[in-house]
Amino acid sequence: MSKLKSLRDLCLSELEDIYDAEKQIVKALPKIVKATSGSDLRNALEHHLEQTKGHVGRLEQVFQNLSVKSKGRTCHGIKGILAEGETFLSNSEQDVVRDAGIIAASQRVEHYEMAVYGALRTWMDELGDSSSARLLQETLDEEKEADKKLTSVATSSANSQAQAAAH
């Protein structure tokens, strides 16, 4: 990474980071979906996979708005979060326990993304790029909605089923 000399440089750096993050998520989600046992969770993750593909497209539009090539820079944060999430896939003896773990891991991803998109949206406003700010806000809204849906699945069934599995 080159030296960050301006808010624009910082913004571009974070865009490259989240662009790679979204691509990592698109690659990881099908395996996660396949590992779920609950239909509500599976449906939520399948829906978010389609949204995430759209997030990649929006980021490409933001790069275009800034007149720079769409490119990623390895997002070590998401890489680590996804690696941690892998432990739920391989270490859960009960399907319902794995589902609860998948929800927790997925929410870690959502919270990371919400932090980045919130900052990027604010910076785009500061840079006077309202078109990019709107695109980033749209993605931020979808990330928040995905997080709410995961909480709903956790509290309506997954957590209590995981608790019951222990008895």
Side-chain angles (χ1 to χ4, degrees):
M1 174 181 2
S2 58
K3 294 283 183 187
L4 305 174
K5 299 175 185 170
S6 67
L7 184 59
R8 179 181 163 86
D9 292 347
L10 179 60
C11 195
L12 288 171
S13 177
E14 284 300 299
L15 283 167
E16 291 171 357
D17 188 77
I18 197 67
Y19 186 63
D20 179 71
E22 293 288 18
K23 288 184 162 198
Q24 287 184 52
I25 295 163
V26 166
K27 188 176 177 184
L29 269 174
K31 180 179 180 181
I32 296 165
V33 167
K34 191 174 181 180
T36 62
S37 65
S39 61
D40 288 345
L41 177 56
R42 186 177 314 105
N43 291 339
L45 292 175
E46 286 173 343
H47 177 70
H48 197 58
L49 172 58
E50 293 310 309
Q51 284 183 319
T52 303
K53 291 174 184 176
H55 301 167
V56 171
R58 280 192 206 116
L59 287 168
E60 290 169 349
Q61 180 62 52
V62 171
F63 280 114
Q64 187 176 0
N65 290 353
L66 295 169
S67 301
V68 296
K69 183 179 183 244
S70 301
K71 67 176 185 172
R73 176 178 46 80
T74 302
C75 178
H76 296 286
I78 285 295
K79 193 175 196 174
I81 292 170
L82 291 173
E84 276 187 359
E86 280 283 323
T87 62
F88 296 118
L89 301 184
S90 58
N91 293 333
S92 302
E93 291 182 11
Q94 301 277 342
D95 290 348
V96 291
V97 173
R98 183 174 45 250
D99 282 359
I102 287 170
I103 291 169
S106 297
Q107 287 188 294
R108 284 185 186 98
V109 170
E110 297 308 323
H111 287 236
Y112 182 93
E113 291 176 300
M114 288 186 290
V116 174
Y117 281 113
L120 283 169
R121 185 247 8 257
T122 300
W123 294 339
M124 285 300 181
D125 277 337
E126 195 69 30
L127 292 169
D129 186 344
S130 59
S131 175
S132 293
R134 276 192 301 278
L135 291 168
L136 295 164
Q137 182 64 52
E138 192 174 340
T139 299
L140 178 59
D141 291 343
E142 288 177 358
E143 301 295 8
K144 288 178 180 179
E145 190 55 42
D147 182 54
K148 284 182 188 176
K149 178 63 177 169
L150 289 166
T151 296
S152 175
V153 172
T155 58
S156 69
S157 60
N159 291 346
S160 59
Q161 289 172 359
Q163 172 62 15
H167 298 357

